[in-house]
């Protein structure tokens, strides 16, 4: 039990800014096993966003509460996945070879493609959540974070890690995922959908996975696999696709 707690807290430390005990570090052994808890980390992050929205909705308008919720989740993760999404936008927008794409993605500076990509995806998140029925916004936020992280985990499972640098902090978390780890991630990623109490909502998994297949195809074609930034981009896209899917499905549920 203590070992599993250590592995989970390692995932918390790696993917968020939430304080962890001093005995938790970036141990490669635990980090490589932490993928099974990526979706659970999503539940934690999504719950923070949902609580912030719920609390501020009693004081401010829905729009302001949503923006504050987004600020809370971005702050909690240190914009970890947003940064990956922006890097992918820059890399695939400005690179035409594997080497060039990887070089651009590794550059800490943000380019035009990344800026535009972030503005658009954050705008879509906000507008999509605004369209969700008010009482379902908190659970929609939680599921958006948990399900999208599960889908990102499937990318790590199906696509090999392609960076050659052994000093990459993301490498231990971006490879060697077993089927058992994937199943555990799926349980944490999908279970929150039951709180909608609307069976048709599970259809939203399909467009989310198709979005992953689309991006995964591009990553395979141009890079031969994936990097941590690629997984971050999948998480961001699938989160948005889930919100849009909820809006589309609401006519029928």
């Amino acid at each position: 039990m203590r070992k599993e707690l250590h592995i989970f807290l390692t995932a918390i430390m790696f993917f968020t800014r939430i304080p962890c005990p001093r005995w938790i570090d970036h141990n490669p052994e635990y980090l490589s096993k932490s993928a099974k808890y990526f979706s659970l980390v999503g539940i934690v992050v999504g719950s923070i966003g949902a609580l912030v929205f719920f609390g501020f909705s009693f004081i401010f308008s829905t729009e302001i509460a949503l923006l504050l919720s987004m600020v809370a989740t971005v702050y909690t993760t240190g914009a970890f996945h947003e940064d990956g999404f922006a890097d992918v936008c820059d890399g695939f927008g400005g690179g035409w070879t594997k080497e060039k794409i990887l070089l651009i993605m590794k550059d800490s500076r943000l380019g035009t493609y990344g800026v535009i990509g972030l503005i658009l995806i954050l705008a879509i998140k906000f507008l999509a959540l605004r369209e969700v029925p008010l009482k379902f916004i908190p659970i929609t936020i939680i599921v958006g974070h948990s399900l999208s992280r599960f889908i990102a985990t499937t990318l790590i499972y199906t696509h090999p890690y392609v960076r050659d640098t052994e000093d990459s902090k993301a490498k231990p978390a971006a490879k060697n995922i077993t089927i058992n780890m994937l199943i555990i991630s799926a349980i944490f990623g999908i279970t929150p959908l039951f709180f909608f109490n609307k069976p048709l909502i599970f259809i939203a998994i399909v467009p989310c996975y198709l979005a992953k297949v689309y991006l995964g195809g591009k990553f395979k074609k141009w890079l031969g696999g994936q990097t941590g930034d690629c997984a971050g981009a999948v998480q961001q896209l699938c989160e948005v696709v889930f919100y849009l899917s909820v809006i589309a499905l609401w006519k029928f549920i």
Side-chain angles (χ1 to χ4, degrees):
M1 182 61 72
R2 181 181 173 85
K3 182 178 180 180
E4 289 302 314
L5 177 62
H6 195 152
I7 294 171
F8 168 64
L9 290 177
T10 298
I12 288 288
M13 170 176 277
F14 189 78
F15 289 105
T16 76
R17 289 179 169 178
I18 298 173
C20 290
R22 292 184 178 181
W23 46 272
I24 302 298
D25 56 21
H26 291 97
N27 185 310
E29 177 187 356
Y30 290 119
L31 188 56
S32 66
K33 297 177 180 179
S34 67
K36 59 186 172 184
Y37 293 125
F38 289 176
S39 302
L40 182 55
V41 172
I43 292 177
V44 172
V45 174
S47 296
I48 291 172
L51 285 171
V52 169
F53 170 78
F54 181 76
F56 281 114
S57 64
F58 290 101
I59 305 173
F60 305 116
S61 66
T62 300
E63 290 78 9
I64 293 178
L66 277 174
L67 283 174
L68 291 173
S69 170
M70 291 173 63
V71 169
T73 57
V74 169
Y75 179 78
T76 299
T77 62
F80 190 87
H81 301 298
E82 287 83 359
D83 179 66
F85 176 80
D87 286 342
V88 167
C89 289
D90 278 335
F92 282 82
W96 293 98
T97 65
K98 174 182 177 179
E99 292 72 21
K100 185 65 174 178
I101 292 171
L102 290 175
L103 181 63
I104 294 174
M105 288 168 60
K106 192 173 180 61
D107 193 334
S108 60
R109 293 168 295 182
L110 190 60
T112 302
Y113 294 107
V115 171
I116 294 174
L118 279 177
I119 291 173
L120 292 177
I121 202 164
L122 290 173
I124 295 172
K125 281 186 189 182
F126 171 76
L127 293 173
L129 284 168
R130 182 63 186 87
E131 293 296 315
V132 174
L134 185 60
K135 70 176 182 177
F136 286 99
I137 289 179
I139 187 59
T140 300
I141 293 173
I142 293 172
V143 176
H145 282 272
S146 67
L147 180 61
S148 62
R149 281 168 173 78
F150 163 60
I151 301 296
T153 305
T154 69
L155 177 80
I156 301 172
Y157 180 76
T158 59
H159 290 61
Y161 187 77
V162 295
R163 284 201 183 277
D164 296 326
T165 52
E166 292 297 327
D167 60 344
S168 173
K169 286 178 65 178
K171 187 171 183 178
K175 59 184 298 186
N176 299 328
I177 291 183
T178 66
I179 187 63
N180 288 337
M181 293 165 64
L182 191 65
I183 291 172
I184 293 173
S185 180
I187 292 172
F188 287 121
I190 295 173
T191 298
L193 281 165
F194 286 98
F195 288 94
F196 277 96
N197 198 27
K198 295 180 181 294
L200 283 178
I201 200 68
F202 284 87
I203 296 175
I205 298 174
V206 176
C208 289
Y209 193 78
L210 290 177
K212 173 258 179 177
V213 170
Y214 170 74
L215 281 185
K218 293 183 70 70
F219 299 151
K220 185 70 174 179
K221 176 182 177 181
W222 290 98
L223 303 179
Q226 54 85 24
T227 69
D229 288 333
C230 296
V234 168
Q235 185 277 321
Q236 287 291 292
L237 179 62
C238 289
E239 183 183 342
V240 168
V241 169
F242 175 73
Y243 298 152
L244 294 175
S245 299
V246 170
I247 297 172
L249 287 169
W250 212 257
K251 298 178 181 178
F252 308 100
I253 60 178

